[in-house]
Amino acid sequence: MEIIIEDMEHRVRKIIYEHSQDPGFPRLEDYGVTEDEFGDYLFYKQAVIDNAESLRKKYTIYSIIFFIPFVVAAFGETTATNALIAGGCGIVLCGIYYLITILIQKWRMSRLNNEAIERYIADVMKFQDQ
């Protein structure tokens, strides 16, 4: 059985490997970027993307956040109204957590951003589409 890894880093490296000798293919030197800078950038960008996409971790955290209001409500009088309020609070807390994780990912990506490397990656991806 062949395992196929299809993430941004592997996709870009595969295109470079397959087309690096083709005429007109973008060269790192033309963008003022070294191979080490490019490799580090791809690695860290993929790490940020992977951190945001870990489904098991994400669902576990959402489950815990959703059930916290139910646990708190269980210490008081247990009624259907309290259960509905706890469910609503759980949904709101999950929404807040979702927004915070999106903002953190955007902040990390903006801190990591290197325009020269991003242009190179965009040109490599455009070359693949030709």
Side-chain angles (χ1 to χ4, degrees), residues 51-126:
N51 187 33
E53 293 180 352
S54 173
L55 290 177
R56 193 159 130 188
K57 175 183 167 189
K58 187 185 293 187
Y59 290 148
T60 302
I61 292 173
Y62 279 119
S63 299
I64 291 169
I65 290 173
F66 181 75
F67 285 110
I68 286 174
F70 288 101
V71 172
V72 172
F75 288 113
E77 186 179 328
T78 307
T79 63
T81 305
N82 286 348
L84 287 174
I85 291 172
C89 290
I91 291 171
V92 169
L93 288 173
C94 288
I96 291 170
Y97 177 73
Y98 174 77
L99 291 175
I100 289 171
T101 56
I102 295 295
L103 291 174
I104 289 172
Q105 182 182 14
K106 286 184 180 188
W107 176 72
R108 284 182 178 168
M109 289 297 251
S110 69
R111 255 187 36 203
L112 183 66
N113 195 20
N114 182 327
E115 288 301 319
I117 296 175
E118 285 295 328
R119 276 195 327 269
Y120 176 70
I121 292 171
D123 289 346
V124 166
M125 298 303 272
K126 276 193 256 180

